[in-house]
Amino acid sequence: MRVDVTRRNDRFLLEAKNEAGNTFILDNSPDGGGDGAGFRPMQSLLAAMAACSSMDVISILKKQKLEPFGLTVSVEGERETGKEANLWKTVHATFIVTGNVPKEKAERAVQLSLEKYCSVSMTLRAAGAAITYDVVMR
Amino acid sequence: MRVDVTRRNDRFLLEAKNEAGNTFILDNSPDGGGDGAGFRPMQSLLAAMAACSSMDVISILKKQKLEPFGLTVSVEGERETGKEANLWKTVHATFIVTGNVPKEKAERAVQLSLEKYCSVSMTLRAAGAAITYDVVMR
């Protein structure tokens, strides 16, 4: 698996590209000398966790023939402060599920993902983050 | 810092959005039932590391008045196998620098970033990844 990241202006604008040619833009915040025109790197870790866990949940609920359903995951986190590198300290994910899915099945899928299968959440946990979640049916 | 990830089709296509309204697309591989239309979650960790380190390097070289210079970081990694969650085991980053930058200054900036300042590389390290790099002047 290979990713290329290339500087795209004279500040901090960066373009990431994978082998399939998919791209996304990362940027520094205006505080840090950037233009806020893309994801910040640590922010994209939260996106990756939400996405990895969404894929697990979709996969588990698909196998249980619970389609169609909708899913949004909102993730918020708090970083360490005062160190040279400030890692994620707490991360909370709210899973909002729409459709005809029994709440306990959605909760079980989220739990299996965040505590067992999701490589991104296991990475953040191994690096010291406390990960919590809740599931909302709408 | 908040990120929302929303399912966008009946398979695994996901859209991540940050508070500033920036978005990017994540997807599962065709092997996993997706369409390969976006970054895979674990792939976006490599992008985040390359971006975070690029921003450090840009910042350090800017302070040394070494602009203008170009930068591309190519990252490749190998994941664990056979576990329930397979984390990054090895990650290698090649920094390709163009412009009038002394190689030792570029190397020192990369080293400071990957071993000290870059929160994403420190996250991956804390989760067990061995991170190596090289710097190429072009």
mmCIF file of all heavy atoms in Angstrom, chain A residues 3-7 10 18 22 27 36-37 39 43 62 67 69 71-75 79 84 86 116 119, chain B residues 2-7 10 18 22 36-37 39 43 55 62 67 69 71-75 79 84 86 116 119:
data_model
loop_
_atom_site.group_PDB
_atom_site.id
_atom_site.type_symbol
_atom_site.label_atom_id
_atom_site.label_comp_id
_atom_site.label_asym_id
_atom_site.label_seq_id
_atom_site.Cartn_x
_atom_site.Cartn_y
_atom_site.Cartn_z
ATOM 1 N N VAL A 3 1.177 5.584 -0.621
ATOM 2 C CA VAL A 3 0.514 6.884 -0.684
ATOM 3 C C VAL A 3 1.574 7.945 -0.972
ATOM 4 O O VAL A 3 2.671 7.891 -0.403
ATOM 5 C CB VAL A 3 -0.169 7.184 0.677
ATOM 6 C CG1 VAL A 3 -0.654 8.611 0.727
ATOM 7 C CG2 VAL A 3 -1.316 6.221 0.938
ATOM 8 N N ASP A 4 1.251 8.886 -1.851
ATOM 9 C CA ASP A 4 2.138 10.029 -2.116
ATOM 10 C C ASP A 4 1.470 11.302 -1.629
ATOM 11 O O ASP A 4 0.292 11.527 -1.913
ATOM 12 C CB ASP A 4 2.393 10.184 -3.625
ATOM 13 C CG ASP A 4 3.252 9.072 -4.171
ATOM 14 O OD1 ASP A 4 4.200 8.654 -3.486
ATOM 15 O OD2 ASP A 4 2.957 8.596 -5.277
ATOM 16 N N VAL A 5 2.246 12.126 -0.937
ATOM 17 C CA VAL A 5 1.735 13.426 -0.487
ATOM 18 C C VAL A 5 2.635 14.508 -1.075
ATOM 19 O O VAL A 5 3.858 14.455 -0.912
ATOM 20 C CB VAL A 5 1.707 13.499 1.057
ATOM 21 C CG1 VAL A 5 1.472 14.925 1.533
ATOM 22 C CG2 VAL A 5 0.612 12.574 1.603
ATOM 23 N N THR A 6 2.041 15.469 -1.772
ATOM 24 C CA THR A 6 2.816 16.493 -2.483
ATOM 25 C C THR A 6 2.385 17.898 -2.077
ATOM 26 O O THR A 6 1.194 18.188 -1.986
ATOM 27 C CB THR A 6 2.627 16.315 -4.015
ATOM 28 O OG1 THR A 6 3.054 15.002 -4.365
ATOM 29 C CG2 THR A 6 3.465 17.335 -4.800
ATOM 30 N N ARG A 7 3.374 18.734 -1.852
ATOM 31 C CA ARG A 7 3.123 20.139 -1.528
ATOM 32 C C ARG A 7 2.554 20.853 -2.743
ATOM 33 O O ARG A 7 3.108 20.727 -3.842
ATOM 34 C CB ARG A 7 4.461 20.780 -1.117
ATOM 35 C CG ARG A 7 4.322 22.189 -0.606
ATOM 36 C CD ARG A 7 5.674 22.784 -0.220
ATOM 37 N NE ARG A 7 5.478 24.049 0.440
ATOM 38 C CZ ARG A 7 6.418 24.967 0.615
ATOM 39 N NH1 ARG A 7 7.657 24.731 0.202
ATOM 40 N NH2 ARG A 7 6.142 26.090 1.232
ATOM 41 N N ASP A 10 2.877 27.564 -1.713
ATOM 42 C CA ASP A 10 4.084 27.965 -0.985
ATOM 43 C C ASP A 10 3.825 28.029 0.532
ATOM 44 O O ASP A 10 4.642 28.570 1.275
ATOM 45 C CB ASP A 10 4.626 29.308 -1.518
ATOM 46 C CG ASP A 10 3.612 30.436 -1.362
ATOM 47 O OD1 ASP A 10 2.481 30.158 -0.892
ATOM 48 O OD2 ASP A 10 3.942 31.589 -1.701
ATOM 49 N N ASN A 18 -3.546 8.011 -3.583
ATOM 50 C CA ASN A 18 -3.256 6.577 -3.396
ATOM 51 C C ASN A 18 -3.012 5.900 -4.748
ATOM 52 O O ASN A 18 -3.072 6.557 -5.793
ATOM 53 C CB ASN A 18 -4.355 5.886 -2.576
ATOM 54 C CG ASN A 18 -5.687 5.797 -3.304
ATOM 55 O OD1 ASN A 18 -5.783 6.111 -4.491
ATOM 56 N ND2 ASN A 18 -6.716 5.380 -2.595
ATOM 57 N N ASN A 22 -7.071 8.031 -6.197
ATOM 58 C CA ASN A 22 -7.937 8.859 -5.344
ATOM 59 C C ASN A 22 -7.085 9.888 -4.622
ATOM 60 O O ASN A 22 -5.951 9.595 -4.234
ATOM 61 C CB ASN A 22 -8.667 7.989 -4.305
ATOM 62 C CG ASN A 22 -9.472 6.875 -4.925
ATOM 63 O OD1 ASN A 22 -9.241 5.703 -4.636
ATOM 64 N ND2 ASN A 22 -10.389 7.208 -5.773
ATOM 65 N N ASP A 27 -4.338 20.419 4.942
ATOM 66 C CA ASP A 27 -3.802 21.772 5.093
ATOM 67 C C ASP A 27 -3.611 22.059 6.577
ATOM 68 O O ASP A 27 -4.217 21.414 7.437
ATOM 69 C CB ASP A 27 -4.762 22.798 4.476
ATOM 70 C CG ASP A 27 -4.103 24.161 4.203
ATOM 71 O OD1 ASP A 27 -2.892 24.306 4.440
ATOM 72 O OD2 ASP A 27 -4.815 25.060 3.738
ATOM 73 N N GLY A 36 -6.457 26.472 6.073
ATOM 74 C CA GLY A 36 -7.617 25.672 6.498
ATOM 75 C C GLY A 36 -8.396 25.107 5.322
ATOM 76 O O GLY A 36 -9.599 24.891 5.408
ATOM 77 N N ALA A 37 -7.700 24.840 4.212
ATOM 78 C CA ALA A 37 -8.385 24.407 2.988
ATOM 79 C C ALA A 37 -8.512 22.887 2.875
ATOM 80 O O ALA A 37 -8.945 22.379 1.838
ATOM 81 C CB ALA A 37 -7.663 24.968 1.774
ATOM 82 N N PHE A 39 -8.218 18.820 5.362
ATOM 83 C CA PHE A 39 -8.146 18.179 6.668
ATOM 84 C C PHE A 39 -6.784 18.426 7.306
ATOM 85 O O PHE A 39 -5.754 18.407 6.619
ATOM 86 C CB PHE A 39 -8.369 16.671 6.522
ATOM 87 C CG PHE A 39 -9.813 16.290 6.645
ATOM 88 C CD1 PHE A 39 -10.738 16.687 5.688
ATOM 89 C CD2 PHE A 39 -10.270 15.579 7.744
ATOM 90 C CE1 PHE A 39 -12.083 16.373 5.811
ATOM 91 C CE2 PHE A 39 -11.606 15.265 7.878
ATOM 92 C CZ PHE A 39 -12.519 15.651 6.914
ATOM 93 N N GLN A 43 -6.754 15.395 12.390
ATOM 94 C CA GLN A 43 -8.189 15.317 12.129
ATOM 95 C C GLN A 43 -8.486 14.126 11.208
ATOM 96 O O GLN A 43 -9.514 13.462 11.361
ATOM 97 C CB GLN A 43 -8.570 16.609 11.398
ATOM 98 C CG GLN A 43 -9.903 17.157 11.701
ATOM 99 C CD GLN A 43 -10.047 18.546 11.092
ATOM 100 O OE1 GLN A 43 -9.526 18.854 10.023
ATOM 101 N NE2 GLN A 43 -10.773 19.394 11.788
ATOM 102 N N LYS A 62 -25.059 -5.699 7.063
ATOM 103 C CA LYS A 62 -25.349 -6.300 5.746
ATOM 104 C C LYS A 62 -25.522 -7.818 5.893
ATOM 105 O O LYS A 62 -26.450 -8.399 5.349
ATOM 106 C CB LYS A 62 -24.181 -6.039 4.789
ATOM 107 C CG LYS A 62 -24.375 -4.885 3.821
ATOM 108 C CD LYS A 62 -23.157 -4.815 2.879
ATOM 109 C CE LYS A 62 -23.201 -3.596 1.982
ATOM 110 N NZ LYS A 62 -24.301 -3.550 1.028
ATOM 111 N N GLU A 67 -30.235 -4.232 5.582
ATOM 112 C CA GLU A 67 -30.331 -3.127 4.623
ATOM 113 C C GLU A 67 -31.801 -2.856 4.301
ATOM 114 O O GLU A 67 -32.603 -3.787 4.362
ATOM 115 C CB GLU A 67 -29.599 -3.494 3.327
ATOM 116 C CG GLU A 67 -28.113 -3.591 3.479
ATOM 117 C CD GLU A 67 -27.382 -2.252 3.247
ATOM 118 O OE1 GLU A 67 -27.979 -1.176 3.452
ATOM 119 O OE2 GLU A 67 -26.224 -2.320 2.868
ATOM 120 N N PHE A 69 -30.096 0.874 5.349
ATOM 121 C CA PHE A 69 -29.965 1.740 6.524
ATOM 122 C C PHE A 69 -28.966 2.854 6.211
ATOM 123 O O PHE A 69 -28.113 2.702 5.325
ATOM 124 C CB PHE A 69 -29.519 0.949 7.768
ATOM 125 C CG PHE A 69 -28.208 0.241 7.602
ATOM 126 C CD1 PHE A 69 -27.012 0.877 7.890
ATOM 127 C CD2 PHE A 69 -28.162 -1.064 7.128
ATOM 128 C CE1 PHE A 69 -25.805 0.229 7.704
ATOM 129 C CE2 PHE A 69 -26.943 -1.715 6.932
ATOM 130 C CZ PHE A 69 -25.770 -1.078 7.220
ATOM 131 N N LEU A 71 -26.097 5.715 7.859
ATOM 132 C CA LEU A 71 -25.151 5.790 8.969
ATOM 133 C C LEU A 71 -24.326 7.069 8.884
ATOM 134 O O LEU A 71 -23.768 7.382 7.822
ATOM 135 C CB LEU A 71 -24.213 4.573 8.919
ATOM 136 C CG LEU A 71 -23.109 4.480 9.984
ATOM 137 C CD1 LEU A 71 -23.701 4.362 11.393
ATOM 138 C CD2 LEU A 71 -22.204 3.277 9.715
ATOM 139 N N THR A 72 -24.313 7.806 9.979
ATOM 140 C CA THR A 72 -23.373 8.922 10.123
ATOM 141 C C THR A 72 -22.638 8.735 11.443
ATOM 142 O O THR A 72 -23.263 8.399 12.457
ATOM 143 C CB THR A 72 -24.107 10.281 10.152
ATOM 144 O OG1 THR A 72 -24.668 10.542 8.861
ATOM 145 C CG2 THR A 72 -23.155 11.432 10.471
ATOM 146 N N VAL A 73 -21.351 8.914 11.421
ATOM 147 C CA VAL A 73 -20.563 8.846 12.653
ATOM 148 C C VAL A 73 -19.932 10.218 12.901
ATOM 149 O O VAL A 73 -19.219 10.731 12.041
ATOM 150 C CB VAL A 73 -19.456 7.767 12.569
ATOM 151 C CG1 VAL A 73 -18.724 7.647 13.898
ATOM 152 C CG2 VAL A 73 -20.050 6.422 12.165
ATOM 153 N N SER A 74 -20.263 10.802 14.056
ATOM 154 C CA SER A 74 -19.658 12.079 14.451
ATOM 155 C C SER A 74 -18.596 11.790 15.492
ATOM 156 O O SER A 74 -18.890 11.168 16.515
ATOM 157 C CB SER A 74 -20.696 12.982 15.104
ATOM 158 O OG SER A 74 -21.586 13.445 14.135
ATOM 159 N N VAL A 75 -17.404 12.245 15.242
ATOM 160 C CA VAL A 75 -16.304 11.944 16.160
ATOM 161 C C VAL A 75 -15.733 13.241 16.713
ATOM 162 O O VAL A 75 -15.477 14.182 15.960
ATOM 163 C CB VAL A 75 -15.147 11.204 15.445
ATOM 164 C CG1 VAL A 75 -14.217 10.563 16.461
ATOM 165 C CG2 VAL A 75 -15.695 10.158 14.520
ATOM 166 N N ARG A 79 -6.977 16.257 22.507
ATOM 167 C CA ARG A 79 -5.577 15.869 22.410
ATOM 168 C C ARG A 79 -4.819 16.190 23.687
ATOM 169 O O ARG A 79 -5.231 17.009 24.485
ATOM 170 C CB ARG A 79 -4.912 16.577 21.230
ATOM 171 C CG ARG A 79 -5.404 16.034 19.906
ATOM 172 C CD ARG A 79 -4.917 16.839 18.737
ATOM 173 N NE ARG A 79 -3.460 16.794 18.603
ATOM 174 C CZ ARG A 79 -2.799 17.355 17.590
ATOM 175 N NH1 ARG A 79 -3.461 17.996 16.650
ATOM 176 N NH2 ARG A 79 -1.483 17.265 17.532
ATOM 177 N N GLU A 84 5.767 17.607 23.055
ATOM 178 C CA GLU A 84 6.284 17.921 21.721
ATOM 179 C C GLU A 84 5.347 17.386 20.648
ATOM 180 O O GLU A 84 5.128 18.025 19.627
ATOM 181 C CB GLU A 84 7.693 17.348 21.565
ATOM 182 C CG GLU A 84 8.715 18.276 22.221
ATOM 183 C CD GLU A 84 10.037 17.609 22.468
ATOM 184 O OE1 GLU A 84 10.082 16.363 22.572
ATOM 185 O OE2 GLU A 84 11.048 18.335 22.570
ATOM 186 N N ASN A 86 1.420 15.920 20.497
ATOM 187 C CA ASN A 86 0.220 15.783 21.321
ATOM 188 C C ASN A 86 -0.761 14.792 20.686
ATOM 189 O O ASN A 86 -1.458 15.115 19.733
ATOM 190 C CB ASN A 86 -0.432 17.158 21.493
ATOM 191 C CG ASN A 86 0.463 18.093 22.295
ATOM 192 O OD1 ASN A 86 0.874 17.758 23.406
ATOM 193 N ND2 ASN A 86 0.808 19.236 21.726
ATOM 194 N N LYS A 116 -12.536 -4.468 18.726
ATOM 195 C CA LYS A 116 -11.919 -5.686 18.228
ATOM 196 C C LYS A 116 -11.386 -5.580 16.795
ATOM 197 O O LYS A 116 -10.236 -5.874 16.537
ATOM 198 C CB LYS A 116 -12.970 -6.789 18.298
ATOM 199 C CG LYS A 116 -12.420 -8.193 18.382
ATOM 200 C CD LYS A 116 -13.568 -9.136 18.766
ATOM 201 C CE LYS A 116 -13.133 -10.571 18.821
ATOM 202 N NZ LYS A 116 -14.271 -11.446 19.194
ATOM 203 N N SER A 119 -8.973 -1.532 12.747
ATOM 204 C CA SER A 119 -7.526 -1.354 12.902
ATOM 205 C C SER A 119 -7.168 0.072 13.315
ATOM 206 O O SER A 119 -6.182 0.291 14.022
ATOM 207 C CB SER A 119 -6.812 -1.680 11.583
ATOM 208 O OG SER A 119 -7.084 -3.009 11.212
ATOM 209 N N ARG B 2 -13.981 18.246 15.480
ATOM 210 C CA ARG B 2 -15.051 17.300 15.181
ATOM 211 C C ARG B 2 -15.043 16.927 13.707
ATOM 212 O O ARG B 2 -14.826 17.770 12.843
ATOM 213 C CB ARG B 2 -16.404 17.931 15.540
ATOM 214 C CG ARG B 2 -17.563 17.043 15.154
ATOM 215 C CD ARG B 2 -18.890 17.632 15.545
ATOM 216 N NE ARG B 2 -19.931 17.089 14.698
ATOM 217 C CZ ARG B 2 -21.221 17.337 14.862
ATOM 218 N NH1 ARG B 2 -21.631 18.110 15.826
ATOM 219 N NH2 ARG B 2 -22.105 16.801 14.041
ATOM 220 N N VAL B 3 -15.328 15.662 13.447
ATOM 221 C CA VAL B 3 -15.403 15.150 12.084
ATOM 222 C C VAL B 3 -16.677 14.321 11.949
ATOM 223 O O VAL B 3 -17.018 13.568 12.858
ATOM 224 C CB VAL B 3 -14.165 14.260 11.799
ATOM 225 C CG1 VAL B 3 -14.311 13.539 10.482
ATOM 226 C CG2 VAL B 3 -12.888 15.096 11.808
ATOM 227 N N ASP B 4 -17.392 14.476 10.848
ATOM 228 C CA ASP B 4 -18.560 13.634 10.554
ATOM 229 C C ASP B 4 -18.259 12.757 9.347
ATOM 230 O O ASP B 4 -17.754 13.254 8.334
ATOM 231 C CB ASP B 4 -19.781 14.502 10.198
ATOM 232 C CG ASP B 4 -20.304 15.268 11.401
ATOM 233 O OD1 ASP B 4 -20.328 14.696 12.499
ATOM 234 O OD2 ASP B 4 -20.679 16.441 11.239
ATOM 235 N N VAL B 5 -18.611 11.489 9.469
ATOM 236 C CA VAL B 5 -18.447 10.562 8.345
ATOM 237 C C VAL B 5 -19.822 9.988 8.017
ATOM 238 O O VAL B 5 -20.504 9.466 8.900
ATOM 239 C CB VAL B 5 -17.437 9.452 8.701
ATOM 240 C CG1 VAL B 5 -17.467 8.333 7.660
ATOM 241 C CG2 VAL B 5 -16.029 10.036 8.792
ATOM 242 N N THR B 6 -20.224 10.110 6.754
ATOM 243 C CA THR B 6 -21.576 9.697 6.358
ATOM 244 C C THR B 6 -21.539 8.702 5.202
ATOM 245 O O THR B 6 -20.795 8.903 4.225
ATOM 246 C CB THR B 6 -22.401 10.943 5.939
ATOM 247 O OG1 THR B 6 -22.429 11.842 7.047
ATOM 248 C CG2 THR B 6 -23.831 10.580 5.559
ATOM 249 N N ARG B 7 -22.349 7.650 5.337
ATOM 250 C CA ARG B 7 -22.475 6.648 4.270
ATOM 251 C C ARG B 7 -23.159 7.289 3.068
ATOM 252 O O ARG B 7 -24.205 7.925 3.219
ATOM 253 C CB ARG B 7 -23.316 5.489 4.810
ATOM 254 C CG ARG B 7 -23.372 4.319 3.869
ATOM 255 C CD ARG B 7 -24.254 3.205 4.433
ATOM 256 N NE ARG B 7 -24.151 2.031 3.600
ATOM 257 C CZ ARG B 7 -25.005 1.018 3.639
ATOM 258 N NH1 ARG B 7 -25.999 1.018 4.504
ATOM 259 N NH2 ARG B 7 -24.867 -0.017 2.830
ATOM 260 N N ASP B 10 -25.133 2.323 -1.151
ATOM 261 C CA ASP B 10 -25.585 1.116 -0.442
ATOM 262 C C ASP B 10 -24.447 0.129 -0.236
ATOM 263 O O ASP B 10 -24.666 -1.020 0.099
ATOM 264 C CB ASP B 10 -26.771 0.476 -1.184
ATOM 265 C CG ASP B 10 -26.385 0.065 -2.606
ATOM 266 O OD1 ASP B 10 -25.225 0.333 -3.034
ATOM 267 O OD2 ASP B 10 -27.230 -0.533 -3.293
ATOM 268 N N ASN B 18 -15.023 17.967 7.842
ATOM 269 C CA ASN B 18 -14.573 18.615 9.082
ATOM 270 C C ASN B 18 -15.380 19.884 9.349
ATOM 271 O O ASN B 18 -16.272 20.233 8.569
ATOM 272 C CB ASN B 18 -13.058 18.861 9.065
ATOM 273 C CG ASN B 18 -12.624 19.912 8.056
ATOM 274 O OD1 ASN B 18 -13.456 20.581 7.447
ATOM 275 N ND2 ASN B 18 -11.327 20.039 7.879
ATOM 276 N N ASN B 22 -14.437 21.068 4.783
ATOM 277 C CA ASN B 22 -13.603 20.286 3.860
ATOM 278 C C ASN B 22 -14.065 18.830 3.892
ATOM 279 O O ASN B 22 -14.441 18.327 4.945
ATOM 280 C CB ASN B 22 -12.125 20.343 4.285
ATOM 281 C CG ASN B 22 -11.599 21.754 4.384
ATOM 282 O OD1 ASN B 22 -11.142 22.186 5.431
ATOM 283 N ND2 ASN B 22 -11.674 22.484 3.305
ATOM 284 N N GLY B 36 -13.442 0.922 -4.397
ATOM 285 C CA GLY B 36 -12.111 1.527 -4.484
ATOM 286 C C GLY B 36 -12.158 2.984 -4.909
ATOM 287 O O GLY B 36 -11.225 3.491 -5.524
ATOM 288 N N ALA B 37 -13.251 3.674 -4.576
ATOM 289 C CA ALA B 37 -13.448 5.052 -5.047
ATOM 290 C C ALA B 37 -12.903 6.105 -4.089
ATOM 291 O O ALA B 37 -13.110 7.303 -4.306
ATOM 292 C CB ALA B 37 -14.934 5.299 -5.291
ATOM 293 N N PHE B 39 -9.987 6.737 -0.394
ATOM 294 C CA PHE B 39 -8.937 6.199 0.474
ATOM 295 C C PHE B 39 -9.508 5.107 1.385
ATOM 296 O O PHE B 39 -10.619 5.230 1.878
ATOM 297 C CB PHE B 39 -8.340 7.319 1.338
ATOM 298 C CG PHE B 39 -7.160 7.979 0.683
ATOM 299 C CD1 PHE B 39 -7.326 8.740 -0.460
ATOM 300 C CD2 PHE B 39 -5.882 7.821 1.191
ATOM 301 C CE1 PHE B 39 -6.227 9.330 -1.094
ATOM 302 C CE2 PHE B 39 -4.779 8.401 0.567
ATOM 303 C CZ PHE B 39 -4.954 9.155 -0.572
ATOM 304 N N GLN B 43 -5.097 3.384 4.916
ATOM 305 C CA GLN B 43 -4.290 4.136 3.953
ATOM 306 C C GLN B 43 -4.254 5.624 4.338
ATOM 307 O O GLN B 43 -3.233 6.292 4.168
ATOM 308 C CB GLN B 43 -4.978 4.003 2.598
ATOM 309 C CG GLN B 43 -4.117 3.949 1.411
ATOM 310 C CD GLN B 43 -4.929 3.547 0.182
ATOM 311 O OE1 GLN B 43 -6.093 3.902 0.037
ATOM 312 N NE2 GLN B 43 -4.296 2.806 -0.701
ATOM 313 N N MET B 55 4.329 19.003 6.929
ATOM 314 C CA MET B 55 4.083 20.325 7.526
ATOM 315 C C MET B 55 5.212 20.726 8.471
ATOM 316 O O MET B 55 5.638 21.881 8.484
ATOM 317 C CB MET B 55 2.736 20.342 8.247
ATOM 318 C CG MET B 55 1.569 20.312 7.267
ATOM 319 S SD MET B 55 -0.038 20.347 8.122
ATOM 320 C CE MET B 55 -1.137 19.975 6.739
ATOM 321 N N LYS B 62 11.148 26.700 6.205
ATOM 322 C CA LYS B 62 10.703 28.097 6.073
ATOM 323 C C LYS B 62 11.454 28.993 7.073
ATOM 324 O O LYS B 62 11.930 30.065 6.721
ATOM 325 C CB LYS B 62 9.209 28.205 6.412
ATOM 326 C CG LYS B 62 8.277 28.231 5.221
ATOM 327 C CD LYS B 62 6.821 28.413 5.720
ATOM 328 C CE LYS B 62 5.813 28.287 4.587
ATOM 329 N NZ LYS B 62 5.926 29.309 3.558
ATOM 330 N N GLU B 67 13.073 28.711 1.391
ATOM 331 C CA GLU B 67 12.098 28.750 0.289
ATOM 332 C C GLU B 67 12.748 29.363 -0.945
ATOM 333 O O GLU B 67 13.632 30.216 -0.795
ATOM 334 C CB GLU B 67 10.883 29.608 0.681
ATOM 335 C CG GLU B 67 10.042 29.006 1.767
ATOM 336 C CD GLU B 67 8.944 28.102 1.217
ATOM 337 O OE1 GLU B 67 9.121 27.507 0.118
ATOM 338 O OE2 GLU B 67 7.932 27.973 1.900
ATOM 339 N N PHE B 69 10.965 25.703 -2.149
ATOM 340 C CA PHE B 69 11.347 24.290 -2.357
ATOM 341 C C PHE B 69 10.073 23.468 -2.546
ATOM 342 O O PHE B 69 8.988 23.880 -2.137
ATOM 343 C CB PHE B 69 12.163 23.750 -1.172
ATOM 344 C CG PHE B 69 11.429 23.828 0.140
ATOM 345 C CD1 PHE B 69 10.618 22.796 0.554
ATOM 346 C CD2 PHE B 69 11.539 24.953 0.956
ATOM 347 C CE1 PHE B 69 9.925 22.888 1.754
ATOM 348 C CE2 PHE B 69 10.840 25.052 2.153
ATOM 349 C CZ PHE B 69 10.034 24.012 2.557
ATOM 350 N N LEU B 71 8.221 19.507 -2.258
ATOM 351 C CA LEU B 71 8.314 18.333 -1.380
ATOM 352 C C LEU B 71 7.245 17.318 -1.764
ATOM 353 O O LEU B 71 6.071 17.671 -1.896
ATOM 354 C CB LEU B 71 8.109 18.785 0.079
ATOM 355 C CG LEU B 71 8.107 17.704 1.155
ATOM 356 C CD1 LEU B 71 9.456 16.993 1.231
ATOM 357 C CD2 LEU B 71 7.755 18.312 2.521
ATOM 358 N N THR B 72 7.680 16.104 -1.974
ATOM 359 C CA THR B 72 6.751 14.975 -2.104
ATOM 360 C C THR B 72 7.211 13.900 -1.130
ATOM 361 O O THR B 72 8.408 13.628 -1.032
ATOM 362 C CB THR B 72 6.757 14.391 -3.541
ATOM 363 O OG1 THR B 72 6.175 15.342 -4.424
ATOM 364 C CG2 THR B 72 5.939 13.106 -3.619
ATOM 365 N N VAL B 73 6.277 13.340 -0.394
ATOM 366 C CA VAL B 73 6.604 12.233 0.505
ATOM 367 C C VAL B 73 5.857 10.996 0.020
ATOM 368 O O VAL B 73 4.628 11.017 -0.099
ATOM 369 C CB VAL B 73 6.202 12.550 1.960
ATOM 370 C CG1 VAL B 73 6.646 11.422 2.886
ATOM 371 C CG2 VAL B 73 6.792 13.888 2.411
ATOM 372 N N SER B 74 6.609 9.944 -0.286
ATOM 373 C CA SER B 74 5.999 8.662 -0.680
ATOM 374 C C SER B 74 6.099 7.729 0.504
ATOM 375 O O SER B 74 7.187 7.493 1.027
ATOM 376 C CB SER B 74 6.779 8.019 -1.824
ATOM 377 O OG SER B 74 6.573 8.740 -2.994
ATOM 378 N N VAL B 75 4.960 7.200 0.918
ATOM 379 C CA VAL B 75 4.948 6.335 2.095
ATOM 380 C C VAL B 75 4.458 4.954 1.701
ATOM 381 O O VAL B 75 3.445 4.813 1.015
ATOM 382 C CB VAL B 75 3.987 6.867 3.175
ATOM 383 C CG1 VAL B 75 4.274 6.195 4.506
ATOM 384 C CG2 VAL B 75 4.111 8.357 3.310
ATOM 385 N N ARG B 79 1.400 -4.142 6.936
ATOM 386 C CA ARG B 79 0.546 -4.346 8.112
ATOM 387 C C ARG B 79 0.770 -5.718 8.730
ATOM 388 O O ARG B 79 1.280 -6.637 8.087
ATOM 389 C CB ARG B 79 -0.926 -4.203 7.716
ATOM 390 C CG ARG B 79 -1.280 -2.769 7.406
ATOM 391 C CD ARG B 79 -2.663 -2.620 6.837
ATOM 392 N NE ARG B 79 -3.688 -3.016 7.799
ATOM 393 C CZ ARG B 79 -4.995 -2.901 7.560
ATOM 394 N NH1 ARG B 79 -5.421 -2.419 6.401
ATOM 395 N NH2 ARG B 79 -5.873 -3.282 8.466
ATOM 396 N N GLU B 84 -7.155 -9.985 14.522
ATOM 397 C CA GLU B 84 -8.483 -9.424 14.272
ATOM 398 C C GLU B 84 -8.378 -7.999 13.744
ATOM 399 O O GLU B 84 -9.148 -7.598 12.886
ATOM 400 C CB GLU B 84 -9.320 -9.471 15.554
ATOM 401 C CG GLU B 84 -9.906 -10.872 15.744
ATOM 402 C CD GLU B 84 -10.340 -11.149 17.158
ATOM 403 O OE1 GLU B 84 -9.844 -10.490 18.094
ATOM 404 O OE2 GLU B 84 -11.187 -12.047 17.327
ATOM 405 N N ASN B 86 -5.342 -5.569 12.142
ATOM 406 C CA ASN B 86 -3.960 -5.636 11.662
ATOM 407 C C ASN B 86 -3.376 -4.234 11.548
ATOM 408 O O ASN B 86 -3.662 -3.514 10.601
ATOM 409 C CB ASN B 86 -3.919 -6.374 10.324
ATOM 410 C CG ASN B 86 -4.323 -7.836 10.475
ATOM 411 O OD1 ASN B 86 -3.751 -8.565 11.295
ATOM 412 N ND2 ASN B 86 -5.332 -8.259 9.746
ATOM 413 N N LYS B 116 10.112 13.226 16.765
ATOM 414 C CA LYS B 116 9.812 14.093 17.898
ATOM 415 C C LYS B 116 8.488 14.847 17.787
ATOM 416 O O LYS B 116 7.664 14.780 18.681
ATOM 417 C CB LYS B 116 10.950 15.106 18.011
ATOM 418 C CG LYS B 116 11.134 15.719 19.358
ATOM 419 C CD LYS B 116 12.484 16.428 19.386
ATOM 420 C CE LYS B 116 12.752 17.118 20.707
ATOM 421 N NZ LYS B 116 14.050 17.804 20.673
ATOM 422 N N SER B 119 2.750 14.322 15.431
ATOM 423 C CA SER B 119 1.821 13.575 16.299
ATOM 424 C C SER B 119 1.345 12.283 15.638
ATOM 425 O O SER B 119 1.084 11.293 16.325
ATOM 426 C CB SER B 119 0.601 14.438 16.636
ATOM 427 O OG SER B 119 1.012 15.615 17.299
#
